């Protein structure tokens, strides 16, 4: 049996799971052949290697908008490329350009046209130019699209492509179980040529949800994936994918059909481009998030959404209990899968992934502390109808300017400590552009947009940024230099491979530590951070360092001369103690 026949049979089986109980006009066999044709697999089809890791310790992703840097007379994507070449260089080999398509709201996540680049940013040649130099990650905004796009216009007219792409329901339906990430009403009434209809809007009334019960919607998104692959995209971020499949009288989140769609898309992508990977963006409680690994047959990577709130909570309380408990509970990602670690993003610090890990009292303390540092809070309606904090909107640099006791002098060291922890953890690190630069809360943009998330979506005047980065006394210069220093150390260590062994260390509540070991078992790294604003003693004897090895602190660049020594760690100091100094 040849590879195409095997692929077609696998797709038919996956389609039978997705559309079980749904009346569709074409057979599973015909639909599978359409999918193969749409992806161009008739002319180029590769057999994927199971459980292959398409990443190493050298991989890291910079997260940025296409217009994070503005330069007079220059398209923002070209300015972004210049920034990457001039200030990031080879330190970071991947870039996630947040939605770069024409859009109507939500800073890009309400897509009007999936096939075009927003003219204000540049064009496809600018995207491809960046993709030739770095691993390019693109959003696949798959759950919903803009109400101002041609698809929705055709839905209102009742004819043309898109006229049957949207999920509708009745206000009389039982929708009480539906999980909502927003406080707006779920259904939006729309006058159409067919009369009044109520379209499903998980997020906002400008973001109308697509109906994957219609196979044409699936085929359309497969054609979009093909276009992005041709443009050089190698990492697909499936935005809000947990909400993709809806069923009345259900929670309409994480349904079996959603998981099967993810598996099908992985099947198509890995047969087309073996190095391409998928990351699912599922901002949900931790146990639910983990299910998107499947059996190494769904997402290659999942966002470690619990890390940001737990790490921030650790650093503002000086107590690592909850972070340590969570890390001990996290299963190692099997080969072929990987965690995607981050502590800041274009969105805020999500609180749903902390549910069940932090108590309501601890979450409220965290929320109140972020508000005292200038942050804003976004809310959601819970299953019981009460308002609960959904997300903390604040720049990470401001979030770590103090503790529950208030602001202090340790903000920079606390901020660097957070990244030293994140860079060393099992997984691929993702760094938000404003963390790389130490950008502060943007109150002016918040005032202009009235959207809480705008506080951490600053657009830099590029000439002003250049002056800041050239000034050695500037905090932005200092942050970038120290971040790149840590990154360059990390990239050389085999024990920091995203799938290298990891064990949590028990060193009390003020020292957060874990041990990493390379797959060949030759390199070990003990990663220990003082997460408090007091000097704390680290007894090296408790680490059981092998006495026949020579040990070094990678960050300080100094040898460890006495394995029984008591080392005093300054507030928020991190040590990476290794038995092998790798230089390349």
């Amino acid at each position: 049996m040849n590879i195409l026949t095997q692929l077609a049979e696998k797709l038919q089986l996956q389609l039978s799971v997705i559309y079980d109980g749904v009346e569709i006009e074409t057979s599973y066999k015909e639909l599978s052949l359409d999918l193969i044709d749409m992806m161009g697999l008739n002319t180029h089809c590769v057999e994927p290697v199971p459980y292959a890791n398409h990443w190493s310790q050298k991989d890291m992703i910079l997260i940025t908008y296409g217009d994070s840097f503005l330069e007079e007379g220059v398209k923002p994507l070209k300015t972004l490329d210049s920034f990457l070449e001039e200030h990031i260089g080879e330190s970071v080999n991947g870039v996630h350009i947040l939605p770069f398509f024409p859009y109507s709201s939500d800073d890009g996540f309400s897509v009007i046209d999936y096939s075009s680049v927003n003219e204000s940013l540049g064009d496809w040649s600018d995207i491809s130019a960046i993709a030739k130099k770095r691993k390019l990650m693109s959003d696949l905004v798959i759950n919903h699209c803009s109400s101002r796009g041609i698809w929705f216009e055709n839905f209102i007219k009742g004819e043309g492509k898109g006229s049957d792409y949207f999920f509708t329901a009745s206000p009389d339906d039982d929708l009480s179980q539906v999980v909502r990430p927003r406080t707006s009403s779920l259904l939006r009434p729309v006058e159409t040529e067919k009369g009044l209809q109520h379209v499903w809007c998980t997020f906002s009334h400008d973001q109308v949800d697509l109906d994957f019960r219609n196979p044409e919607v699936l085929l359309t998104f497969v054609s979009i994936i093909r276009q992005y692959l041709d443009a050089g995209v190698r990492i697909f971020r499936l935005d809000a994918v947990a909400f993709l499949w809806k069923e009345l009288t259900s929670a309409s989140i994480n349904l079996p059909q959603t998981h099967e769609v993810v598996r099908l898309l992985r099947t198509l992508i890995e047969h087309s481009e073996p190095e391409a990977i998928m990351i699912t963006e599922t901002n949900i409680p931790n146990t639910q998030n983990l299910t998107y690994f499947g059996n190494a047959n769904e997402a290659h990577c999942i966002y470690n959404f619990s890390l940001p709130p737990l790490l921030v909570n650790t650093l503002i309380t000086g107590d690592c209990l909850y972070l340590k408990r969570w890390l001990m509970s996290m299963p190692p990602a099997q080969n072929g899968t990987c965690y995607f670690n981050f502590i800041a993003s274009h969105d805020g610090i999500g609180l749903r992934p902390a549910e069940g890990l932090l108590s309501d009292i601890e979450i409220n303390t965290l929320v109140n502390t972020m508000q005292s540092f200038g942050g804003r809070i976004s809310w959601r309606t819970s299953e019981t109808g009460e308002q609960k904090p959904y997300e903390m909107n604040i720049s990470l640099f401001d979030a770590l300017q103090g503790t529950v006791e208030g602001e202090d002098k340790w903000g920079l060291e606390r901020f660097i400590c957070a990244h030293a922890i994140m860079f060393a953890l099992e997984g691929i690190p993702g760094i938000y552009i404003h963390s790389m630069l130490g950008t502060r809360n943007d109150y002016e943009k918040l005032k202009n947009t009235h959207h809480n998330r705008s506080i951490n979506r600053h657009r830099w005047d590029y000439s002003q940024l250049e002056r800041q980065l050239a000034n050695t006394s500037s905090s932005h210069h200092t942050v970038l230099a120290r971040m790149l220093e840590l990154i360059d150390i990390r990239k050389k260590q085999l024990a920091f491979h995203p799938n290298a062994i990891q064990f949590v260390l028990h060193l009390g509540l003020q020292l957060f530590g874990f041990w990493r070991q390379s797959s060949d078992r030759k390199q070990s790294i003990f990663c220990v951070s003082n997460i408090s604003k007091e000097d704390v003693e680290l007894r090296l004897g408790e680490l059981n360092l092998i006495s026949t090895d020579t040990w070094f602190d990678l960050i300080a660049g100094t040898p460890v001369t006495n394995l029984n020594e008591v080392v005093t760690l300054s507030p928020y100091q991190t040590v990476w103690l290794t038995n092998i100094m790798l230089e390349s």
Side-chain angles (χ1 to χ4, degrees), residues 344-452:
S345 75
H346 62 290
D347 291 339
I349 300 170
L351 289 171
R352 287 214 72 202
E355 293 175 7
L357 302 173
L358 296 175
S359 69
D360 287 346
I361 292 175
E362 287 151 346
I363 288 176
N364 286 337
T365 299
L366 180 58
V367 164
N368 291 336
T369 304
M370 293 302 102
Q371 287 178 311
S372 73
F373 296 156
R376 302 294 189 267
I377 306 301
S378 296
W379 301 83
R380 71 178 181 91
T381 304
S382 73
E383 293 81 352
T384 58
E386 62 179 322
Q387 299 296 291
K388 299 193 72 172
Y390 172 75
E391 184 177 85
M392 302 180 297
N393 304 109
I394 189 170
S395 86
L396 187 65
F397 198 78
D398 280 295
L400 297 175
Q401 284 305 298
T403 68
V404 291
E405 299 172 357
E407 292 191 22
D408 57 32
K409 65 180 181 180
W410 298 108
L412 174 62
E413 298 308 320
R414 194 178 287 113
F415 179 82
I416 296 299
C417 177
H419 288 90
I421 290 171
M422 192 257 283
F423 291 162
L425 285 170
E426 174 192 353
I428 299 171
I431 316 159
Y432 188 39
I433 185 65
H434 294 304
S435 294
M436 186 67 86
L437 298 171
T439 310
R440 307 298 296 263
N441 289 336
D442 190 336
Y443 297 112
E444 188 65 27
K445 187 171 185 181
L446 176 65
K447 179 182 177 181
N448 291 335
T449 66
H450 304 290
H451 293 147
N452 285 350

Side-chain angles (χ1 to χ4, degrees), residues 98-99 106 108-111 138-144 203 207 236-244 279-282 303 346-347 453:
L98 290 154
D106 198 16
F109 285 92
S110 186
V111 179
S138 171
D139 290 276
L140 190 67
V141 185
I142 195 169
N143 175 72
H144 52 262
F203 292 92
Q207 294 167 297
F236 291 86
R237 177 185 182 270
L238 272 58
D239 177 67
V241 70
F243 300 95
L244 180 140
I279 299 181
T280 47
E281 188 269 333
T282 46
Y303 276 77
H346 62 290
D347 291 339
R453 287 176 169 176

Side-chain angles (χ1 to χ4, degrees), residues 175-232:
L175 305 174
S176 59
Q177 296 182 54
V178 176
V179 171
R180 296 298 314 288
R182 299 290 186 273
T183 56
S184 58
S185 57
L186 176 63
L187 299 182
R188 170 188 166 181
V190 179
E191 286 290 349
T192 75
E193 288 296 321
K194 297 180 180 179
L196 179 65
Q197 298 196 58
H198 292 82
V199 291
W200 191 289
C201 299
T202 298
F203 292 92
S204 78
H205 283 190
D206 183 48
Q207 294 167 297
V208 283
D209 282 39
L210 295 153
D211 187 357
F212 273 81
R213 293 174 303 179
N214 179 356
E216 288 300 318
V217 177
L218 176 63
L219 286 168
T220 295
F221 273 90
V222 169
S223 70
I224 292 167
I225 290 172
R226 179 68 264 171
Q227 180 185 2
Y228 293 0
L229 282 170
D230 291 341

Side-chain angles (χ1 to χ4, degrees), residues 2-31:
N2 66 40
I3 185 172
L4 278 178
T5 303
Q6 289 179 325
L7 174 59
E9 290 185 355
K10 182 176 182 179
L11 291 172
Q12 289 174 48
L13 183 60
Q14 292 175 321
L15 291 165
S16 70
V17 174
I18 296 169
Y19 295 111
D20 182 35
V22 178
E23 290 187 15
I24 59 176
E25 295 181 358
T26 56
S27 68
Y28 298 143
K29 181 177 181 180
E30 291 173 325
L31 190 52

Side-chain angles (χ1 to χ4, degrees), residues 47-55 266 270 274-277 296 300 334-338 497 499:
E47 188 166 3
V49 178
Y51 305 106
N53 294 327
H54 304 295
W55 43 78
R266 173 165 175 162
E270 65 186 3
E275 295 301 314
I277 64 174
H300 295 86
Q334 64 177 309
N335 284 332
T337 66
C338 180
H497 186 285
N499 294 90

Side-chain angles (χ1 to χ4, degrees), residues 115-133:
S115 64
S116 301
V117 174
N118 188 336
E119 289 183 0
S120 67
L121 299 178
D123 55 33
W124 280 113
S125 67
D126 298 315
I127 293 293
S128 295
I130 293 173
K132 289 175 182 176
K133 303 169 189 174

Side-chain angles (χ1 to χ4, degrees), residues 519-533:
S519 60
D520 62 9
R521 302 186 182 274
K522 291 181 180 179
Q523 186 186 33
S524 289
I525 304 178
F526 289 85
C527 309
V528 182
S529 297
N530 177 3
I531 50 83
S532 77
K533 59 180 180 180

Side-chain angles (χ1 to χ4, degrees), residues 274-327:
E275 295 301 314
I277 64 174
M278 295 194 319
I279 299 181
T280 47
E281 188 269 333
T282 46
N283 193 354
I284 51 181
N286 192 52
T287 53
Q288 299 173 28
N289 189 32
L290 288 167
T291 63
Y292 282 86
F293 274 145
N295 183 26
N297 62 350
E298 290 191 38
H300 295 86
C301 303
I302 63 171
Y303 276 77
N304 234 340
F305 274 109
S306 295
L307 179 61
L310 291 179
L311 184 50
V312 171
N313 181 72
T314 292
L315 290 165
I316 67 164
T317 62
D319 184 334
C320 68
L321 175 63
Y322 300 102
L323 179 62
K324 186 163 66 171
R325 277 182 181 172
W326 165 75
L327 194 62

